[in-house]
Amino acid sequence: MKYYRIEEAIRLSGLGSAELDTLVREQLIEIKRTLDDEPVISAEDLDKARVASLLIRELDVNVPGAEIILHMRKDMIAMQRQFGKVLEALVDELRRSLEGHEPEDSSET
């Protein structure tokens, strides 16, 4: 998993340190520490912070509402991945089935 230093995360996401602090305090994201005691944030938590901030600032969703939406988003992404795997397995099965049922050459007379 990729981690970003807080300064880099702020630069990449456009979020402010106060926003990150609020999301940490509300336990929507987690700041970890390196062995050198430098604060870092995972790419996943940075994405969650970006989405939560958008929901809170732009759509006027409160923090508990943002937490629910983030949870639903995570579940939907997981279901989408599962559906992709099922669809892939179905396509593979159809290919194998079609390979076993090649039409016979009708030129033999």
Side-chain angles (χ1 to χ4, degrees), residues 3 9 17-18 22 25-26 29-30 42 44 46 58-59 73 93 104:
Y3 286 87
S17 60
T22 300
R25 194 172 45 257
E26 295 292 334
I29 62 170
E30 183 179 2
S42 70
E44 181 180 331
L46 182 58
E58 302 293 326
L59 300 177
R73 179 178 180 254
E93 183 64 31
E104 293 182 22

Side-chain angles (χ1 to χ4, degrees), residues 98-106:
L98 290 174
E99 286 171 359
H101 290 68
E102 293 288 329
E104 293 182 22
D105 188 3
S106 60

Side-chain angles (χ1 to χ4, degrees), residues 60-103:
D60 203 27
V61 175
N62 62 18
V63 173
E67 184 175 14
I68 290 169
I69 292 168
L70 286 171
H71 182 71
M72 290 171 58
R73 179 178 180 254
K74 181 180 177 182
D75 289 347
M76 285 175 27
I77 290 169
M79 285 188 282
Q80 187 177 26
R81 285 186 183 129
Q82 287 176 334
F83 181 74
K85 288 179 183 177
V86 168
L87 190 58
E88 205 173 285
L90 180 60
V91 167
D92 287 345
E93 183 64 31
L94 284 172
R95 280 190 184 132
R96 282 193 297 273
S97 176
L98 290 174
E99 286 171 359
H101 290 68
E102 293 288 329

